Short mmCIF file of all heavy atoms in Angstrom, two decimals:
data_model
loop_
_atom_site.label_atom_id
_atom_site.label_comp_id
_atom_site.label_asym_id
_atom_site.label_seq_id
_atom_site.Cartn_x
_atom_site.Cartn_y
_atom_site.Cartn_z
N GLU F 176 -14.98 -8.78 5.41
CA GLU F 176 -15.85 -7.70 5.91
C GLU F 176 -15.07 -6.39 6.05
O GLU F 176 -15.59 -5.31 5.74
CB GLU F 176 -16.46 -8.10 7.26
CG GLU F 176 -17.55 -9.15 7.09
CD GLU F 176 -18.14 -9.61 8.41
OE1 GLU F 176 -17.82 -9.01 9.45
OE2 GLU F 176 -18.91 -10.58 8.40
N ALA F 177 -13.84 -6.51 6.53
CA ALA F 177 -13.01 -5.29 6.68
C ALA F 177 -12.81 -4.64 5.32
O ALA F 177 -12.95 -3.41 5.16
CB ALA F 177 -11.67 -5.66 7.31
N ARG F 178 -12.51 -5.45 4.32
CA ARG F 178 -12.29 -4.91 2.97
C ARG F 178 -13.56 -4.24 2.44
O ARG F 178 -13.50 -3.20 1.79
CB ARG F 178 -11.82 -6.02 2.02
CG ARG F 178 -10.51 -6.69 2.44
CD ARG F 178 -9.31 -5.79 2.23
NE ARG F 178 -9.18 -5.43 0.83
CZ ARG F 178 -8.52 -6.15 -0.07
NH1 ARG F 178 -7.90 -7.25 0.30
NH2 ARG F 178 -8.45 -5.78 -1.32
N GLU F 179 -14.71 -4.89 2.70
CA GLU F 179 -15.99 -4.30 2.25
C GLU F 179 -16.24 -2.94 2.90
O GLU F 179 -16.85 -2.06 2.29
CB GLU F 179 -17.16 -5.24 2.56
CG GLU F 179 -17.31 -6.35 1.54
CD GLU F 179 -18.11 -7.53 2.06
OE1 GLU F 179 -18.93 -7.35 2.99
OE2 GLU F 179 -17.90 -8.66 1.55
N LEU F 180 -15.75 -2.79 4.11
CA LEU F 180 -15.90 -1.50 4.81
C LEU F 180 -14.89 -0.46 4.31
O LEU F 180 -14.93 0.70 4.73
CB LEU F 180 -15.71 -1.69 6.32
CG LEU F 180 -16.85 -2.37 7.07
CD1 LEU F 180 -16.38 -2.86 8.44
CD2 LEU F 180 -18.03 -1.40 7.23
N GLY F 181 -13.97 -0.89 3.46
CA GLY F 181 -12.96 0.03 2.94
C GLY F 181 -11.70 0.09 3.79
O GLY F 181 -10.83 0.93 3.57
N LEU F 182 -11.62 -0.82 4.78
CA LEU F 182 -10.44 -0.85 5.65
C LEU F 182 -9.31 -1.63 4.98
O LEU F 182 -9.55 -2.65 4.33
CB LEU F 182 -10.77 -1.54 6.98
CG LEU F 182 -11.72 -0.80 7.91
CD1 LEU F 182 -12.35 -1.76 8.93
CD2 LEU F 182 -10.98 0.33 8.64
N THR F 183 -8.09 -1.14 5.13
CA THR F 183 -6.92 -1.93 4.77
C THR F 183 -6.61 -2.82 5.98
O THR F 183 -6.70 -2.36 7.12
CB THR F 183 -5.71 -1.01 4.49
OG1 THR F 183 -6.04 -0.18 3.38
CG2 THR F 183 -4.46 -1.82 4.17
N VAL F 184 -6.29 -4.09 5.72
CA VAL F 184 -6.11 -5.02 6.83
C VAL F 184 -4.63 -5.34 7.02
O VAL F 184 -3.94 -5.74 6.07
CB VAL F 184 -6.89 -6.33 6.58
CG1 VAL F 184 -6.79 -7.24 7.81
CG2 VAL F 184 -8.35 -6.04 6.27
N LEU F 185 -4.16 -5.16 8.25
CA LEU F 185 -2.82 -5.63 8.62
C LEU F 185 -3.02 -7.00 9.27
O LEU F 185 -3.65 -7.11 10.32
CB LEU F 185 -2.16 -4.65 9.61
CG LEU F 185 -0.82 -5.08 10.21
CD1 LEU F 185 0.24 -5.31 9.13
CD2 LEU F 185 -0.31 -4.04 11.21
N VAL F 186 -2.53 -8.04 8.59
CA VAL F 186 -2.71 -9.41 9.08
C VAL F 186 -1.43 -9.81 9.82
O VAL F 186 -0.35 -9.82 9.22
CB VAL F 186 -3.00 -10.38 7.92
CG1 VAL F 186 -3.16 -11.81 8.44
CG2 VAL F 186 -4.28 -9.96 7.18
N GLU F 187 -1.58 -10.09 11.11
CA GLU F 187 -0.39 -10.29 11.96
C GLU F 187 -0.11 -11.77 12.23
O GLU F 187 -1.00 -12.52 12.59
CB GLU F 187 -0.61 -9.57 13.28
CG GLU F 187 0.59 -9.64 14.21
CD GLU F 187 0.34 -8.85 15.48
OE1 GLU F 187 0.42 -7.60 15.41
OE2 GLU F 187 0.04 -9.46 16.51
#
Side-chain angles (χ1 to χ4, degrees):
E176 287 178 8
R178 300 288 300 272
E179 279 160 25
L180 286 164
L182 291 160
T183 299
V184 186
L185 174 60
V186 179
E187 183 177 284

